[in-house]
Amino acid sequence: MNLLITGGAGFIGSHVVRLFVESYPTYNIFNLDALTYAGNLQNLRDVESRPNYTFLKGDITDASFLEQLFAEHRFDAVVHLAAESHVDRSIAGPMAFVQTNVMGTVNLLEACRRAWAGDYAGKLFYHVSTDEVYGSLGENGLFTEQTPYDPRSPYSASKAASDHFIRAWHHTYGLPVKLSNCSNNYGPNHFPEKLIPLAIHNIKEGRPVPVYGKGENVRDWLYVLDHARAIDAIFHRGKVGETYNVGGVNEWRNLDLIELLCDVMDENLGREPGESRKLITFVKDRAGHDARYAIDSSKLMKELGWKPSVTFEQGLKKTVDWYLANGAWLEEVTSGHYQQYYARQYGER
Ligand code: NAD
Ligand code: DAU
């Protein structure tokens, strides 16, 4: 099996690459990544010299590059994670999201269609998507695979568009596809523009921890390795043409989550209980901020026997431990351009 994983140098992609490289030594695993600000080969240092792993630097928005790549490597399957992934950046600059998430995905679909030329035996295109395509929930209810799409940010609209293109290529050209829509991930290697790693970084440095609005928005958090395990299960045992929701059964109001995180950090840093909570700072709300996401993963649980392997308390502890043990990683990714991004997003602090 020649397996192409896109976006493998990013947060979730690096955990998926590691899991597949370690679990399937007979697969040739190719990691295609443009190494944007979010891509970091440090995430994969431990697997980079494995004989079944190859890194390919390249951009999915370049259709002719993809065509050559497919001709050269004869990929049997694709797990597609490459994307622009941060909602705030999509509000500040939506076009990169249209280019990568929409055009890049269509380029990959076309590269597969051309390379496989109607002979789809043993072939698969697996698209990794988000629960944000379903929109925003009120106080009750869960997103199921039947929930109508209602994306509300440039990021979620671009991911929704990509999902529609995946299904269109399945229905029109017969391309064998699978999709999954997952809730908020957290864990090691998460880029510190997202809530949990940004808060860990700021608490560590004794800087204000920005909470949007009143901190009442709710997200459903899943440990990143459990998402990688779900992708493995769906890739190998999911049904072609189907969609699977993936979630943590783990809803948290942002403010409650940040308070818990402050307490875990106090314990780890040997600070007085309650010390880090003083850093919590309410800031201007995100434009169009979705109120609540919560996922019903019962299809994945019943059909494929998947369930989260760690509790939130365990996962958060592992995450904090990782960030405190990997100060050099955090320092490297928060130097340079990160500081300009931070100043633009939060003002000089
Ligand atoms: P990330 O931003 O950490 O990583 C994205 C990776 O894609 C980076 O390595 C980047 O270099 C690469 N990339 C970006 N543009 C590219 C291009 N044009 N060509 C090639 N590579 C490119 O993202 P993530 O959080 O790991 O998310 C991965 C995927 O999972 C995305 O598709 C995202 O929509 C989806 N997802 C994320 C979450 C989450 O909570 N982070 C939840 C559900 C779904
Ligand atoms: O639901 C899945 C999605 O989860 C993924 O598709 C996205 O790629 C991923 O970025 C994530 O999106 P969110 O917007 O939910 O994640 P983020 O970490 O940016 O924000 C989580 C919540 O915290 C959200 O309600 C906004 C809030 N927030 C975020 C930041 C960065 C703050 O209050 N302060 C902050 O500084």
Side-chain angles (χ1 to χ4, degrees):
M1 152 103 75
N2 284 346
L3 170 62
L4 177 67
I5 300 180
T6 71
F11 167 47
I12 302 170
S14 61
H15 290 279
V16 173
V17 165
R18 180 177 299 99
L19 182 66
F20 275 68
V21 164
E22 288 179 347
S23 308
Y24 305 103
T26 61
Y27 295 2
N28 297 312
I29 291 160
F30 297 86
N31 169 16
L32 171 64
D33 199 296
L35 299 182
T36 67
Y37 78 93
N40 187 349
L41 289 177
Q42 294 292 343
N43 295 347
L44 289 165
R45 281 284 171 255
D46 56 326
V47 294
E48 68 184 5
S49 55
R50 297 289 180 93
N52 62 336
Y53 172 73
T54 306
F55 174 68
L56 305 165
K57 184 170 187 304
D59 194 324
I60 60 167
T61 65
D62 184 343
S64 53
F65 161 75
L66 286 182
E67 201 159 337
Q68 279 169 25
L69 199 71
F70 272 71
E72 193 180 334
H73 293 290
R74 304 189 170 280
F75 301 119
D76 300 297
V78 176
V79 178
H80 177 36
L81 294 114
E84 289 292 338
S85 67
H86 190 37
V87 173
D88 293 323
R89 287 187 196 255
S90 84
I91 295 167
M95 289 315 290
F97 289 71
V98 177
Q99 288 301 332
T100 288
N101 300 359
V102 185
M103 292 304 297
T105 299
V106 176
N107 286 340
L108 268 175
L109 285 167
E110 276 297 83
C112 289
R113 189 169 74 91
R114 294 225 173 90
W116 297 341
D119 180 8
Y120 294 139
K123 303 291 194 285
L124 179 65
F125 190 118
Y126 178 176
H127 180 59
V128 177
S129 193
T130 171
D131 61 355
E132 298 198 13
V133 299
Y134 298 124
S136 182
L137 291 164
E139 278 184 17
N140 299 310
L142 299 172
F143 296 134
T144 71
E145 288 82 0
Q146 281 72 46
T147 302
Y149 274 31
D150 182 23
R152 296 146 58 97
S153 74
Y155 164 69
S156 55
S158 69
K159 290 297 290 188
S162 68
D163 293 9
H164 291 317
F165 278 108
I166 301 288
R167 294 193 179 102
W169 259 241
H170 177 62
H171 289 290
T172 308
Y173 305 112
L175 199 81
V177 305
K178 296 179 187 177
L179 291 93
S180 56
N181 294 80
C182 187
S183 64
N184 287 60
N185 286 212
Y186 71 99
N189 309 95
H190 204 184
F191 193 82
E193 62 188 350
K194 311 279 168 53
L195 179 67
I196 290 182
L198 185 143
I200 292 174
H201 181 226
N202 287 16
I203 295 166
K204 185 181 164 208
E205 307 270 302
R207 301 172 70 185
V209 178
V211 172
Y212 294 161
K214 294 182 181 158
E216 285 171 348
N217 303 64
V218 173
R219 297 291 183 267
D220 175 357
W221 294 92
L222 178 68
Y223 192 59
V224 62
L225 272 168
D226 283 329
H227 187 192
R229 289 173 49 250
I231 290 172
D232 182 0
I234 296 163
F235 179 83
H236 287 100
R237 295 184 282 113
K239 288 196 198 112
V240 169
E242 298 266 324
T243 295
Y244 297 84
N245 278 356
V246 190
V249 201
N250 180 39
E251 289 183 50
W252 284 82
R253 233 171 42 117
N254 291 339
L255 184 57
D256 298 335
L257 186 160
I258 292 301
E259 286 179 349
L260 172 65
L261 184 58
C262 285
D263 297 347
V264 174
M265 290 291 284
D266 280 346
E267 212 176 303
N268 276 266
L269 295 170
R271 291 183 185 162
E272 287 296 311
E275 190 62 28
S276 298
R277 286 189 184 208
K278 294 181 194 152
L279 298 169
I280 294 174
T281 308
F282 294 97
V283 300
K284 186 167 174 276
D285 208 353
R286 173 183 279 175
H289 198 170
D290 287 338
R292 175 172 165 257
Y293 305 146
I295 274 271
D296 177 350
S297 327
S298 53
K299 175 177 174 182
L300 176 63
M301 290 176 169
K302 275 190 211 130
E303 291 186 13
L304 304 184
W306 172 91
K307 63 176 184 337
S309 69
V310 294
T311 64
F312 190 52
E313 284 68 17
Q314 290 167 333
L316 203 59
K317 186 172 178 333
K318 278 172 185 270
T319 305
V320 166
D321 288 349
W322 187 86
Y323 278 92
L324 295 182
N326 288 274
W329 184 95
L330 196 53
E331 238 162 73
E332 200 214 300
V333 302
T334 52
S335 62
H337 289 305
Y338 179 81
Q339 289 173 14
Q340 290 147 32
Y341 165 78
Y342 198 90
R344 273 199 309 275
Q345 180 66 22
Y346 299 99
E348 300 292 343
R349 274 183 220 283

